Amino acid sequence: MSTADDIILAIKPLGFPWETLDPFLFCAYHDDHYPAGDGRMGPAASLAGREIGMDFAGKDGWRMYHGQTVPGFPQHPHRGFETVTVARQGLIDHSDSLGATARYGAGDVQWLTAGKGIVHAEMFPLINGGQPNPLELFQIWLNLPARDKMVDPYFSMLWNPVVPRHAHTDDDGRQTRVTVVAGALGPTAPLAAPPNSWAARAESDVAIWTIKMDPGARFTLPAAIRGSNRVVYFFRGAALKVGERDIAPRHSVRLRANAAVTLQAGSDGAELLLLQGRPIGEPVVQYGPFVMNTPAEIQRAFADYQRTQFGGWPWPKDEPVHALEDGRFAQHADGRVARAPG
C-alpha cells in the first residue's frame, strides 16, 4: 500500500508563471480584476503609474500586459509547441497570421498548434461599460516532439457547453466537479485534441483537468501510467489534504503518477489544475516564443520569421479587437464560422 510520503514527490510555492514538467513548458495563470470598460474596450480608469507596453505589476489588481489601450498581448510569433488557453472568466479576442479570428471566454478553451510558425494576438476586450470585467485564464504551453515541430499550424475551439465534465459525489454528499480538457477521467472522455498534438496519442497519457471541490469534499485521483509526470496546482482555497499531507494555499504538488491519491478540500472548498503527461524526453531549447530541440533550429526560427513573418500580419492593428457587440465566435482560416452554442 502506497503512503502519502512516497506518492508526493515535491511541493513548491506557485510563482509566475507556474513551473511545469515535460511535456509541458509552462503555465501562466492570469487573474485580473478589470474595471468597467470605456466603450472602446479599454479600462475606464487612469493608466498613470503603469509601464505601458510591459505592465505586469498588478496595480489595482489588474494589468495591461503588452497592450497599449486594450489589455492583452498584441501580435507575437510562436513556433514548435502548442498553447492551450482555458478562459474561465472574461473574453479573449484572437487574430492570427492565417487570417483566423475568434472571441471566446466564459469557460471556452482554445487549442492552438503553432507548429512551423504562426503569429497571433490575444487581447482582453472589456465589453461591460457599467460593471467590472473580471478575467481569469490559464495559458498552458504543451511541447511538440521533434517530428511534429514543423507541422502546419492548426487551431480549434472547445466551447464551454460541450467541454466534458465529470461529477463525483462523496459519501457525505459533497461534490467535486472536474472539467476534462484533455485525458479521460473514468467514463468521461475529452473532446479530440488537434491531430498533431502530443495529447492526440493515447500512450502520451496527457491530462488537463480543472477541479472544483465543495467544502470538505473528498475525491480520489485515479492512477495514471508509470513514468508520466503529474502535478496538481492548488490555486484557490485555504486548505487541502493530499493523502494525509496538508498543503498550504498556492502550492503545486508533484505526484507519483501510477498511484491513486485522495484529495480533501478545506472548509471553503478548493480549486486545482492538474497537468499530466508522459515526457517527450527530447532536448528543449527555448528562446522567447520559439521552442525547438537545438540552438541551430532556434536560429532558423528567427531567420524564417524575419524573412516570412510566418505568413505576414493581415490586420490593420497589432492589437486588434472585434466589435463591441460581437458574441463568442470563431472564424477559421478556411472561412468556416462557428458560434458558441447556447
Side-chain angles (χ1 to χ4, degrees):
M1 181 74 176
S2 296
T3 67
D5 286 340
D6 67 4
I7 292 173
I8 294 176
L9 304 179
I11 302 172
K12 295 184 177 182
L14 298 180
F16 184 87
W18 296 349
E19 183 179 327
T20 57
L21 298 171
D22 188 1
F24 299 96
L25 297 163
F26 91 33
C27 176
Y29 176 53
H30 299 275
D31 186 15
D32 288 284
H33 303 276
Y34 289 114
D38 63 1
R40 300 183 302 276
M41 289 175 277
S46 171
L47 300 182
R50 295 178 181 272
E51 188 178 354
I52 296 302
M54 190 66 74
D55 178 30
F56 284 77
K59 181 177 183 289
D60 300 326
W62 52 275
R63 304 154 186 83
M64 290 294 290
Y65 299 106
H66 297 311
Q68 300 287 326
T69 57
V70 175
F73 296 86
Q75 64 144 313
H76 55 282
H78 290 306
R79 172 179 277 185
F81 64 99
E82 300 185 286
T83 60
V84 183
T85 307
V86 182
R88 289 159 57 88
Q89 287 192 88
L91 293 170
I92 301 171
D93 277 1
H94 165 94
S95 304
D96 68 38
S97 55
L98 303 179
T101 59
R103 170 171 285 172
Y104 64 99
D108 302 327
V109 178
Q110 186 198 66
W111 198 318
L112 173 68
T113 304
K116 65 184 180 183
I118 194 169
V119 182
H120 73 156
E122 302 159 288
M123 306 308 298
F124 307 146
L126 309 184
I127 65 169
N128 295 315
Q131 59 188 3
N133 289 269
L135 176 88
E136 183 190 7
L137 66 89
F138 303 109
Q139 186 166 95
I140 300 155
W141 288 17
L142 175 60
N143 203 6
L144 288 166
R147 66 179 179 270
D148 292 323
K149 284 190 176 293
M150 297 296 285
V151 299
D152 288 338
Y154 184 98
F155 100 86
S156 56
M157 290 302 313
L158 313 180
W159 300 110
N160 176 47
V162 296
V163 174
R165 266 77 175 181
H166 178 95
H168 171 79
T169 303
D170 67 19
D171 291 343
D172 296 315
R174 294 165 174 156
Q175 270 213 332
T176 296
R177 292 162 292 279
V178 183
T179 300
V180 176
V181 176
L185 175 55
T188 306
L191 300 174
N196 294 107
S197 177
W198 186 242
R201 301 163 172 83
E203 68 275 12
S204 71
D205 200 30
V206 169
I208 301 172
W209 303 337
T210 60
I211 302 169
K212 185 172 184 178
M213 307 180 71
D214 285 349
R218 294 172 63 88
F219 175 70
T220 299
L221 290 176
I225 295 174
R226 180 184 296 274
S228 290
N229 286 323
R230 172 182 268 187
V231 181
V232 293
Y233 300 85
F234 174 36
F235 66 92
R236 183 166 294 144
L240 176 73
K241 274 188 179 293
V242 177
E244 296 304 315
R245 182 82 66 87
D246 290 315
I247 307 300
R250 294 195 55 79
H251 278 71
S252 68
V253 185
R254 182 182 178 187
L255 299 169
R256 184 160 59 83
N258 63 316
V261 64
T262 298
L263 312 174
Q264 183 169 12
S267 59
D268 62 344
E271 292 194 61
L272 306 95
L273 172 71
L274 177 142
L275 298 180
Q276 169 191 299
R278 184 167 64 84
I280 293 171
E282 296 175 353
V284 173
V285 180
Q286 179 176 353
Y287 196 99
F290 305 140
V291 182
M292 304 301 289
N293 296 101
T294 68
E297 290 171 339
I298 293 290
Q299 292 172 357
R300 179 186 166 193
F302 273 100
D304 288 349
Y305 176 59
Q306 289 169 355
R307 187 180 73 256
T308 70
Q309 298 294 296
F310 294 161
W313 186 246
W315 311 107
K317 296 181 179 180
D318 287 344
E319 45 185 293
V321 289
H322 309 314
L324 185 67
E325 65 274 11
D326 280 350
R328 291 167 22 242
F329 74 94
Q331 179 166 329
H332 295 261
D334 62 5
R336 287 180 298 120
V337 177
R339 297 276 173 188

